Amino acid sequence: MSHSELLAQVPLFSTLGSDDLERLSARLQTRRYDRGGVIFHQGDVGTALYIIHDGEVTIRLSTPEGKEVSLALLRRGDAFGELALLDDAPRSTDAVAREETHLLSLRREELHKFLQERPQVVPVLLASLSRLVRRVTRTVHDSSFLDARARLARVLLDLAQTQGEPGTEGVAIASRLTQTELANLAGLTRESTNRWLRFYAREGLLSYEEGRITLLEPDNLRMNAD
């Protein structure tokens, strides 16, 4: 897949025609990260938007004591680092490669030049940033007002929606997740995550084998997400 074809899958650039996509793709730079490689730290100066060509990236918050909360698990075609396009403020999160990952990066200066040439992209950019704010707001809401059972169910349903692979047995989540990674996404302890995974498995709502989660009855699991 060419860079312009990948750009066409990114909501931020979905309204662009083929000529504009080619023009923008010529301004992209490639980056490679090994598993565990830090793309940026919270507090770093933000200078670019990133698009995942292949691999996976975790967006997370962390503390000096080693505590982590994962805000998003991103895959091919997902973009992140949008806030760097608007100001010179430091990064608000960490971004870490879950496996060998290849990225396309677009520097702020290059995007600003492009927006001057194609101002119709600006409303789409603002809509993308609005979705980001809504996602963070929901994460704060869930961690403040929902119990562990509901938080885990919501995370599983969100993963199924963004990267689900429907099959004869149910909807398989593409990423293989450890219980620690799943706990970080739900803002729970590993012990609590393990307890509720086993509960949902006993109820016949999901299966969990070697990190692969399949939602066997997504509609019934949704009843536990409130």
Side-chain angles (χ1 to χ4, degrees):
M1 179 182 295
S2 68
H3 291 177
S4 60
E5 290 173 329
L6 184 61
L7 277 178
Q9 297 181 8
V10 178
L12 181 60
F13 307 114
S14 60
T15 62
L16 298 182
S18 57
D19 290 343
D20 286 337
L21 290 170
E22 287 291 345
R23 185 178 294 106
L24 187 59
S25 67
R27 306 183 185 195
L28 297 174
Q29 298 179 343
T30 58
R31 297 285 188 270
R32 176 189 173 278
Y33 294 87
D34 292 327
R35 179 180 180 181
V38 176
I39 301 162
F40 53 74
H41 284 290
Q42 182 179 350
D44 288 351
V45 176
T47 59
L49 164 77
Y50 295 95
I51 302 163
I52 302 176
H53 187 276
D54 56 74
E56 293 188 357
V57 171
T58 298
I59 305 299
R60 71 186 189 193
L61 296 173
S62 59
T63 68
E65 294 76 25
K67 295 182 179 179
E68 296 178 3
V69 175
S70 297
L71 300 179
L73 180 61
L74 307 179
R75 293 169 58 84
R76 180 181 177 87
D78 288 329
F80 60 98
E82 300 97 326
L83 294 180
L85 302 179
L86 299 182
D87 56 31
D88 296 319
R91 296 287 190 185
S92 57
T93 64
D94 301 329
V96 181
R98 292 190 70 238
E99 58 187 43
E100 181 178 332
T101 297
H102 295 83
L103 303 175
L104 304 178
S105 68
L106 179 65
R107 294 186 62 81
R108 183 196 304 118
E109 295 81 3
E110 292 297 330
L111 181 63
H112 285 183
K113 293 177 183 176
F114 181 78
L115 292 178
Q116 291 174 357
E117 301 168 3
R118 296 292 185 271
Q120 66 267 29
V121 179
V122 174
V124 183
L125 172 60
L126 294 176
S128 176
L129 294 174
S130 176
R131 287 192 294 270
L132 174 63
V133 172
R134 290 177 184 275
R135 187 176 69 203
V136 173
T137 301
R138 179 179 169 182
T139 298
V140 174
H141 173 277
D142 290 356
S143 63
S144 301
F145 298 111
L146 298 184
D147 60 18
R149 171 188 59 83
R151 284 153 68 179
L152 180 59
R154 283 202 178 189
V155 166
L156 292 171
L157 291 166
D158 285 346
L159 288 170
Q161 181 178 7
T162 57
Q163 52 172 280
E165 299 174 344
T168 56
E169 295 185 354
V171 181
I173 295 172
S175 297
R176 292 184 181 273
L177 295 163
T178 67
Q179 290 188 16
T180 297
E181 289 175 321
L182 192 56
N184 288 340
L185 283 168
L188 302 172
T189 64
R190 183 185 179 281
E191 292 74 18
S192 181
T193 299
N194 176 270
R195 181 166 61 252
W196 285 106
L197 275 177
R198 288 189 285 109
F199 170 81
Y200 286 138
R202 288 196 306 271
E203 293 294 309
L205 302 182
L206 60 79
S207 65
Y208 181 74
E209 298 179 2
E210 298 181 350
R212 175 56 65 89
I213 301 172
T214 300
L215 304 190
L216 305 177
E217 296 187 16
D219 290 339
N220 288 337
L221 180 62
R222 191 168 288 108
M223 296 173 63
N224 291 270
D226 296 320

